[in-house]
Amino acid sequence: EDQVTQSPEALRLQEGESSSLNCSYTVSGLRGLFWYRQDPGKGPEFLFTLYSAGEEKEKERLKATLTKKESFLHITAPKPEDSATYLCAVRASGGSNYKLTFGKGTLLTVNP
Amino acid sequence: DGGITQSPKYLFRKEGQNVTLSCEQNLNHDAMYWYRQDPGQGLRLIYYSQIVNDFQKGDIAEGYSVSREKKESFPLTVTSAQKNPTAFYLCASSIDSQRPQHFGDGTRLSIL
């Protein structure tokens, strides 16, 4: 069974204090790892897709990296507006390859 | 603006009542999805549709039904057989089953 574990569950940073969120996964043949941002009461907003180990994607203060067992979302010099829940999901190969398996998310709070 | 529209934003269900959640997209996406989000849990797939008049059960389809009569629309009915319907329901769509999924802003369903 595909599994996604995100850590920490919650992270509190000061503005400008860089850090990383972790997404560990167990999947039978990775066909994509996805990062989303979710604000309270809203739907998830797509950030990145990573497909193979060693791949990196960047967007403003966010950088996502991928290894064979985990992905990191690095946040450089965060601002209060980066506060949100960050979700990680994987797509596996096989018959249900349309399906995403989601982690429980990391709640990030950035204090001014 | 292209996007995914879910309505209503809040919905209340009485005992024994069926309720229908609306999801409309103008992104010309073929694939559409329904997820359920509960506190402390990852998103779970209820139903998936790859094309018009075709849909497949996800991990938690019991007590739910869907239709896909038009490419743009994928309504979800929560039936009286769903004994624990209180949750945040998210609709998503993607160009095809292999591309990133994009989400609407959800419907919060509660029991009266």
Side-chain angles (χ1 to χ4, degrees), chain A residues 1-22:
Chain A
E1 183 179 331
D2 304 329
Q3 289 190 338
V4 177
T5 302
Q6 292 188 245
S7 62
E9 291 184 9
L11 180 63
R12 192 176 291 271
L13 300 174
Q14 288 299 122
E15 184 171 3
E17 179 187 2
S18 301
S19 188
S20 297
L21 313 182
N22 179 263

Side-chain angles (χ1 to χ4, degrees), chain A residues 9 103-105, chain B residues 37-43:
Chain A
E9 291 184 9
K104 296 180 181 180
Chain B
Q37 187 173 37
D38 294 281
Q41 293 196 39
L43 275 68

Side-chain angles (χ1 to χ4, degrees), chain A residues 72-103:
Chain A
F72 291 94
L73 185 65
H74 306 278
I75 303 175
T76 302
K79 298 181 178 182
E81 52 262 42
D82 294 322
S83 297
T85 296
Y86 290 85
L87 304 176
C88 173
V90 298
R91 175 182 288 132
S93 60
S96 301
N97 60 5
Y98 53 84
K99 177 185 166 183
L100 294 184
T101 300
F102 281 84

Side-chain angles (χ1 to χ4, degrees), chain A residues 31-48:
Chain A
R31 287 294 178 263
L33 184 141
F34 302 83
W35 281 99
Y36 288 86
R37 169 196 169 121
Q38 186 175 24
D39 293 307
K42 299 287 189 180
E45 175 190 350
F46 171 70
L47 294 173
F48 304 110

Side-chain angles (χ1 to χ4, degrees), chain B:
Chain B
D1 284 337
I4 301 168
T5 301
Q6 291 189 242
S7 62
K9 189 170 180 63
Y10 300 96
L11 187 58
F12 297 91
R13 195 191 88 169
K14 296 180 181 178
E15 291 289 337
Q17 186 181 43
N18 293 352
V19 291
T20 297
L21 285 59
S22 172
C23 177
E24 303 277 334
Q25 55 99 359
N26 60 5
L27 300 169
N28 200 33
H29 286 175
D30 284 323
M32 296 188 74
Y33 314 78
W34 275 105
Y35 289 89
R36 170 179 171 143
Q37 187 173 37
D38 294 281
Q41 293 196 39
L43 275 68
R44 292 181 290 169
L45 183 66
I46 304 173
Y47 267 99
Y48 157 68
S49 171
Q50 190 169 0
I51 56 172
V52 172
N53 292 324
D54 180 67
F55 43 83
Q56 298 178 46
K57 292 181 179 180
D59 296 323
I60 55 166
E62 185 174 350
Y64 300 98
S65 65
V66 293
S67 62
R68 186 92 185 271
E69 297 177 359
K70 299 187 300 182
K71 186 175 183 177
E72 301 80 18
S73 179
F74 192 39
L76 174 74
T77 296
V78 184
T79 74
S80 57
Q82 173 50 246
K83 298 307 180 187
N84 184 24
T86 298
F88 190 48
Y89 290 86
L90 289 160
C91 178
S93 71
S94 58
I95 295 173
D96 56 46
S97 64
Q98 301 305 299
R99 306 289 186 97
Q101 296 175 21
H102 298 271
F103 288 80
D105 276 341
T107 292
R108 189 165 298 280
L109 176 62
S110 304
I111 299 299
L112 281 178

